[in-house]
Amino acid sequence: MAKATIFCVGDFRGLKAPAPSALDKLEAGAFPKQDMAEYKYATLAVHAGQHPDPLTGAVNVPLYLSSTFELTGIGTDRGWDYSRAGNPTRDRLETALAALEGGTSGHAFASGMAAIHALVAMLKAGDHVVCSKDVYAGTVRLFDQIVSGYGIEIEYVDTSDLTAVERAMRPTTKLVHIETPSNPLMILTDIAGVAKIAHAHGAEVSVDNTFLSPALQSPLALGADIVMHSTTKYLNGHSDGIGGALIGSKPEHKERFLLVQKAAGNFLSAFECYLVLRGIKTMPLRIKQHEENGRAVAEFLAGHRKAAKVAYPGLKTHPQYELAARQQKGFGSMMSFELKSREEAARFLGALKIFLNAESLGGVESLASHSATTTHASVSAETRAAMGITEGRIRLSVGIEDKDDLIADLEQALGKV
């Protein structure tokens, strides 16, 4: 039997050292920065934070599956020391997020709800938060069952009514959190109008931009201070990863959210960051198809006798169509409508062939869900009724399939109702 020969080398780095210029870039503390301000959105999506790797020239962002990093000395490093505090793959995603939303810093979290928790983590007992009353029920659950226990007061307001927002403001109000369009009734909030009111009272404004993505709405440009995303949705776009993000507009936001990531360990894994970076590259193309299909599906539903109260801001019958046209860069592919009862909703969902009866949104596949038992199952029937969410409300996330096939699927399913 032949004997194996084992070679032992004292310093493996000496086998193939990177070019000095590349190593210098790493030891400077981060990947080389890019000035992307001059480029348009589709170019940003492909290139922001996604420049070739300085060590290898790899075009795709490397996946750094390392929990720890070798230090260069006592108290010195190449920009990273422990992945809870920072990871090269996560840095790339956070750079891309900041560029896409026009912010000063981006921060990736373990989920959309983790991002909202980080948003309020720096508030203290006695602070007051104004929140849109028609929001994802997971936000309500977090605020009512966890955040309120910290002594932070949450007040739910119809933020589509600026007078109501003004009335809700107090000396202790620190944050106004809005979701526009809302989930699932697609009610809009005037971001610029709310920002003007909040800033006059010394409060900040955060906007959940998940339903439209950075491709179709730019809250910071409209006066908001912080943008929140569930990266699970349109940013990733393939229903294969969960994550969240906050994009800040001020230096203190960067300090605040970095502290939450590091102190609470509330950050997105390198692999999930890699998936979102991959998804962002194709987001402009996906969003175009999503919206084309969304408009076609909404028009079909609006003309169907069995689909009542179709909620889609791109329909001219929507009471806030003018605001949507002014505030948004498109109308998106999220919508909802009503059937007469829970039983009709069950028959409709059971008859679908292309649309999948599933929660979530923003993936390439079309989804249909019963709001009362999915997105808003965690709140009481009384709360749902106050929000205007009936037992027959169906929410659609229109994917990128052929729109004629999607409409045919909806038509045959409605025929079974």
Side-chain angles (χ1 to χ4, degrees):
M1 183 176 179
K3 294 182 178 180
T5 302
I6 299 175
F7 294 94
C8 182
V9 180
D11 186 355
F12 287 96
R13 288 168 297 176
L15 293 176
K16 188 176 181 181
S21 59
L23 189 58
D24 289 343
K25 289 176 182 177
L26 287 178
E27 291 183 339
F31 285 109
K33 300 295 182 183
Q34 294 171 294
D35 182 7
M36 304 294 291
E38 63 184 280
Y39 298 116
K40 294 183 179 179
Y41 180 78
T43 305
L44 286 176
V46 175
H47 293 287
Q50 308 215 38
H51 45 273
D53 179 59
L55 284 178
T56 66
V59 172
N60 287 317
V61 174
L63 177 56
Y64 286 89
L65 295 175
S66 185
S67 60
T68 191
F69 299 86
E70 182 187 33
L71 304 179
T72 57
I74 296 178
T76 60
D77 55 47
R78 293 182 175 87
W80 304 275
D81 55 12
Y82 192 66
S83 272
R84 175 160 46 80
N87 176 283
T89 308
R90 192 170 92 221
D91 286 359
R92 297 286 202 103
L93 172 60
E94 292 178 337
T95 296
L97 292 169
L100 291 171
E101 284 287 8
T104 58
S105 64
H107 307 270
F109 297 91
S111 67
M113 294 315 305
I116 294 180
H117 190 264
L119 177 67
V120 299
M122 302 306 290
L123 299 179
K124 61 183 186 299
D127 287 345
H128 175 243
V129 175
V130 173
C131 180
S132 299
K133 73 172 186 177
D134 177 34
V135 293
Y136 170 51
T139 303
V140 176
R141 176 174 53 196
L142 173 67
F143 283 174
D144 288 358
Q145 298 184 33
I146 297 178
V147 176
S148 63
Y150 304 153
I152 298 168
E153 186 175 356
I154 313 295
E155 182 175 356
Y156 297 99
V157 173
D158 178 4
T159 53
S160 67
D161 180 353
L162 294 181
T163 301
V165 175
E166 178 69 53
R167 285 198 304 265
M169 301 302 293
R170 308 177 189 173
T172 55
T173 305
K174 302 299 181 184
L175 181 71
V176 180
H177 180 66
I178 61 179
E179 182 179 286
T180 181
S182 69
N183 179 7
L185 299 179
M186 308 302 292
I187 297 172
L188 274 60
T189 293
D190 184 338
I191 297 173
V194 168
K196 184 177 180 180
I197 293 169
H199 293 163
H201 290 269
E204 290 191 316
V205 175
S206 57
V207 178
D208 185 336
N209 201 25
T210 299
F211 266 29
L212 289 177
S213 86
L216 298 181
Q217 185 166 262
S218 300
L220 297 184
L222 294 168
D225 302 285
I226 302 165
V227 178
M228 173 264 162
H229 283 281
S230 168
T231 63
T232 312
K233 313 307 193 295
Y234 290 103
L235 284 163
N236 178 303
H238 294 79
S239 302
D240 57 6
I242 290 179
L246 294 174
I247 297 91
S249 61
K250 305 171 185 175
E252 54 264 37
H253 294 151
K254 181 176 182 179
E255 295 177 8
R256 182 193 314 173
F257 300 139
L258 279 174
L259 175 60
V260 174
Q261 286 177 311
K262 187 172 182 177
N266 180 3
F267 61 90
L268 191 62
S269 74
F271 183 67
E272 299 280 9
C273 290
Y274 175 86
L275 292 177
V276 180
L277 279 165
R278 174 216 55 187
I280 286 173
K281 285 188 175 183
T282 62
M283 184 167 58
L285 292 174
R286 288 187 286 105
I287 293 296
K288 285 182 181 178
Q289 193 61 50
H290 276 298
E291 181 164 23
E292 179 183 329
N293 289 356
R295 292 189 189 207
V297 167
E299 289 171 2
F300 162 76
L301 290 172
H304 199 288
R305 63 184 181 84
K306 293 184 179 180
K309 298 182 180 179
V310 179
Y312 180 70
L315 293 173
K316 292 186 177 180
T317 53
H318 190 286
Q320 296 173 297
Y321 172 81
E322 295 298 331
L323 174 60
R326 181 175 74 251
Q327 177 169 276
Q328 302 170 188
K329 291 173 278 187
F331 300 110
S333 57
M334 294 301 300
M335 64 196 69
S336 66
F337 66 96
E338 277 188 15
L339 296 174
K340 292 179 181 179
S341 65
R342 182 180 179 127
E343 292 70 30
E344 283 199 354
R347 286 198 295 273
F348 170 78
L349 291 169
L352 291 169
K353 297 177 180 179
I354 298 176
F355 279 82
L356 302 175
N357 178 7
E359 290 192 62
S360 198
L361 60 106
V364 293
E365 62 284 310
S366 293
L367 304 178
S369 61
H370 180 237
S371 296
T373 55
T374 56
T375 60
H376 286 70
S378 63
V379 297
S380 66
E382 292 75 21
T383 299
R384 287 196 298 271
M387 290 178 168
I389 299 171
T390 66
E391 290 295 314
R393 177 64 61 171
I394 299 290
R395 191 189 75 179
L396 300 181
S397 171
V398 181
I400 65 171
E401 304 95 337
D402 186 282
K403 62 177 178 288
D404 293 335
D405 289 338
L406 294 176
I407 290 171
D409 189 30
L410 293 171
E411 186 167 29
Q412 66 83 24
L414 286 169
K416 304 293 175 58
V417 172

